[in-house]
Coordinates of all heavy atoms in Angstrom, one line a residue:
G38 N 27.1 257.9 -22.9 CA 27.4 257.1 -21.7 C 26.9 257.6 -20.4 O 26.4 256.9 -19.5
L57 N 29.7 253.9 3.8 CA 30.6 253.5 4.9 C 32.0 253.2 4.3 O 32.1 252.6 3.2 CB 30.1 252.2 5.6 CG 28.8 252.3 6.4 CD1 27.6 252.2 5.5 CD2 28.8 251.2 7.4
F127 N 4.5 264.0 17.7 CA 5.6 263.0 17.3 C 6.1 263.5 15.9 O 5.4 264.1 15.1 CB 4.9 261.6 17.1 CG 5.7 260.6 16.3 CD1 6.8 260.0 16.9 CD2 5.4 260.4 15.0 CE1 7.5 259.0 16.2 CE2 6.1 259.5 14.3 CZ 7.2 258.8 14.8
Q166 N 17.2 263.5 26.3 CA 16.2 264.4 26.7 C 16.7 265.8 26.6 O 17.7 266.2 27.1 CB 15.8 264.1 28.2 CG 14.7 265.1 28.7 CD 14.4 264.8 30.2 OE1 15.0 264.0 30.8 NE2 13.3 265.5 30.7
V179 N 14.9 259.8 20.3 CA 15.2 258.4 20.3 C 16.0 258.0 19.1 O 15.5 258.2 18.0 CB 14.0 257.5 20.4 CG1 14.4 256.0 20.4 CG2 13.1 257.9 21.7
V213 N 18.6 266.3 -1.1 CA 19.8 267.0 -0.9 C 20.8 266.6 -2.0 O 21.5 267.5 -2.6 CB 20.4 266.8 0.5 CG1 21.8 267.5 0.6 CG2 19.5 267.3 1.5
L264 N 33.5 258.2 -16.1 CA 32.6 257.3 -16.8 C 33.3 255.9 -17.1 O 32.7 254.9 -16.8 CB 32.0 257.9 -18.1 CG 31.1 257.0 -18.9 CD1 29.8 256.8 -18.2 CD2 30.9 257.6 -20.3
T289 N 45.1 278.6 -22.9 CA 44.5 279.2 -24.2 C 44.7 280.7 -24.3 O 45.0 281.2 -25.3 CB 43.0 278.9 -24.2 OG1 42.8 277.5 -24.1 CG2 42.4 279.3 -25.5
N299 N 51.1 289.0 -32.6 CA 51.6 288.7 -33.9 C 50.7 289.4 -35.0 O 51.2 289.7 -36.1 CB 51.7 287.2 -34.1 CG 52.8 286.6 -33.4 OD1 53.9 287.3 -33.2 ND2 52.7 285.4 -33.0
R309 N 45.3 282.2 -40.4 CA 45.8 280.9 -40.3 C 47.3 280.8 -40.0 O 47.8 280.1 -39.2 CB 45.5 280.1 -41.6 CG 45.9 278.7 -41.6 CD 45.7 278.1 -43.0 NE 45.9 276.6 -43.0 CZ 47.1 276.0 -43.0 NH1 48.2 276.8 -43.0 NH2 47.2 274.7 -43.0
I366 N 41.7 272.8 -30.9 CA 40.3 273.1 -30.9 C 40.1 274.7 -30.8 O 39.5 275.2 -31.7 CB 39.7 272.5 -29.6 CG1 39.8 271.0 -29.7 CG2 38.2 272.8 -29.6 CD1 39.1 270.3 -30.9
T371 N 38.8 279.5 -33.9 CA 38.8 280.9 -34.2 C 39.0 281.2 -35.7 O 38.3 282.0 -36.3 CB 39.9 281.6 -33.4 OG1 39.6 281.4 -32.0 CG2 39.8 283.1 -33.6
L374 N 35.7 280.3 -37.5 CA 34.7 281.3 -37.4 C 35.0 282.6 -38.2 O 34.2 283.2 -38.8 CB 34.6 281.7 -35.9 CG 34.0 280.6 -35.0 CD1 34.1 281.0 -33.5 CD2 32.5 280.4 -35.3

Side-chain angles (χ1 to χ4, degrees):
L57 293 81
F127 162 81
Q166 181 181 4
V179 178
V213 176
L264 177 70
T289 304
N299 286 331
R309 181 187 189 282
I366 302 295
T371 303
L374 292 172

